[in-house]
Amino acid sequence: MFRRTGRPGAAVLAGLLLASALVGCAAKGESPQDLTAPVAVTDAPTDAPTDEVTAEPSPSVSAVESMGAAPSRRATPTAKPTKKSTRTAPKPLAVAKPPTETNVPPAPPKPAPSSCKPSYEGTQATRAEVKAALTDAADRIYWPVSAKDIKIPLSLLKATAWQESGWQSNIYACDGGVGLMQVMPATATWMNQRFEKSYQIDDYRDNAYLGATYLAWATRYIGEMYFESDFRLDPALCTAELNSCLLNAVIAAYNFGHGAVAQEGEPLTIPNPSYVRNVRALMSECVCLEY
């Protein structure tokens, strides 16, 4: 989580179409017991290939390749266009309200050299084990008292994990991202302190909880600032404009960090459109959805 140049895995998206792929918190006043699992976040390495128009990392590199592995020759599919919405949710506010949570995750680390290759430690979790961990994380109620309607869709968790690591639970990126959800150690430390937890980023189950909890935290943080506390992460609420819905904003924050997306008094910003489009496409097309 929190990677400025994304580990945009459009090639992960390519992998899903080829049926294979190799390959980053809570609202103010919430008690630790009100949150069931914390999260960390990642930002992408800034020296990855960028798009000339958006200055965003090129989406033609897979998750592993964007961390330093030699690129493979695979076609890059294009995400399907967003369907027209029958919106019943409020449009985002023109400018953000003040955040209720002022204790926020640390700033993202410096990018790793593009020549650096990821490493692997420990035993790789099986697909069945990863699926079970992600399913458990999606089943949790992260704000059981004050925002019990916040739920993280399983399809979003599966897609994010595929985008970030290709479901490789024992991968260590050069920028510090760890495991399935590419959790940053400093962010994991912050989350554990903030919510009095002891999750371990090198355990694939805890890693899934950390990733899901950051998504839940970002949902509340951004939802309160821009969406009048309507916390639905429903693709049907999104229009062709990427800044039109909370789902896109939460995905963007997972990759670039909350500060790049939501600022008090500023309009909602999606600084990494390729990453958002990739994850959105993976939510409906990823081969991982069948695991």
Side-chain angles (χ1 to χ4, degrees):
M1 315 164 183
F2 279 6
R3 287 193 168 77
R4 295 274 176 200
T5 73
R7 164 182 298 114
V12 173
L13 186 55
L16 72 88
L17 295 180
L18 294 175
S20 66
L22 293 174
V23 207
C25 296
K28 184 177 181 181
E30 201 70 33
S31 66
Q33 293 76 17
D34 200 19
L35 185 66
T36 9
V39 73
V41 214
T42 64
D43 250 300
T46 54
D47 39 9
T50 57
D51 184 283
E52 292 181 357
V53 177
T54 64
E56 186 187 357
S58 169
S60 63
V61 185
S62 73
V64 165
E65 291 162 0
S66 67
M67 290 185 279
S72 59
R73 295 182 179 178
R74 294 181 292 185
T76 302
T78 302
K80 292 182 178 179
T82 304
K83 295 181 179 179
K84 291 184 178 180
S85 170
T86 55
R87 174 187 293 278
T88 57
K91 293 182 179 180
L93 299 176
V95 294
K97 292 181 176 180
T100 57
E101 169 74 355
T102 57
N103 186 359
V104 296
K110 294 181 179 180
S114 58
S115 59
C116 181
K117 295 182 179 180
S119 60
Y120 296 84
E121 298 180 18
T123 303
Q124 163 71 27
T126 66
R127 287 176 177 173
E129 290 172 331
V130 170
K131 176 183 177 180
L134 294 173
T135 300
D136 182 53
D139 285 341
R140 295 189 172 205
I141 303 296
Y142 291 89
W143 308 93
V145 176
S146 56
K148 61 183 179 181
D149 54 333
I150 291 181
K151 293 281 291 183
I152 304 305
L154 179 56
S155 60
L156 174 57
L157 273 177
K158 286 184 172 182
T160 303
W162 192 264
Q163 173 80 17
E164 291 289 322
S165 71
W167 282 30
Q168 296 182 103
S169 63
N170 62 338
I171 191 170
Y172 287 70
C174 295
D175 62 0
V178 176
L180 184 64
M181 302 295 289
Q182 284 298 283
V183 177
M184 290 294 181
T187 312
T189 298
W190 178 86
M191 293 293 296
N192 280 331
Q193 293 174 348
R194 172 67 178 80
F195 300 107
E196 299 181 4
K197 300 294 182 180
S198 57
Y199 289 99
Q200 302 296 318
I201 58 176
D202 56 356
D203 180 285
Y204 73 92
R205 290 157 296 198
D206 284 2
N207 197 285
Y209 302 150
L210 287 168
T213 308
Y214 178 76
L215 290 169
W217 176 81
T219 297
R220 183 162 188 175
Y221 184 82
I222 300 172
E224 289 180 338
M225 292 177 70
Y226 290 95
F227 293 92
E228 303 288 2
S229 297
D230 185 327
F231 300 123
R232 286 176 291 171
L233 299 176
D234 185 352
L237 300 176
C238 303
T239 69
E241 297 180 4
L242 284 179
N243 65 350
S244 63
C245 62
L246 181 57
L247 173 61
N248 289 348
V250 168
I251 293 172
Y254 195 93
N255 176 233
F256 259 42
H258 67 282
V261 177
Q263 290 285 343
E264 180 181 350
E266 297 294 331
L268 186 67
T269 302
I270 306 296
N272 47 352
S274 293
Y275 182 93
V276 173
R277 290 189 179 100
N278 289 344
V279 174
R280 284 291 307 279
L282 288 167
M283 288 179 67
S284 60
E285 302 173 4
C286 184
V287 65
C288 64
L289 300 176
E290 301 176 4
Y291 295 158

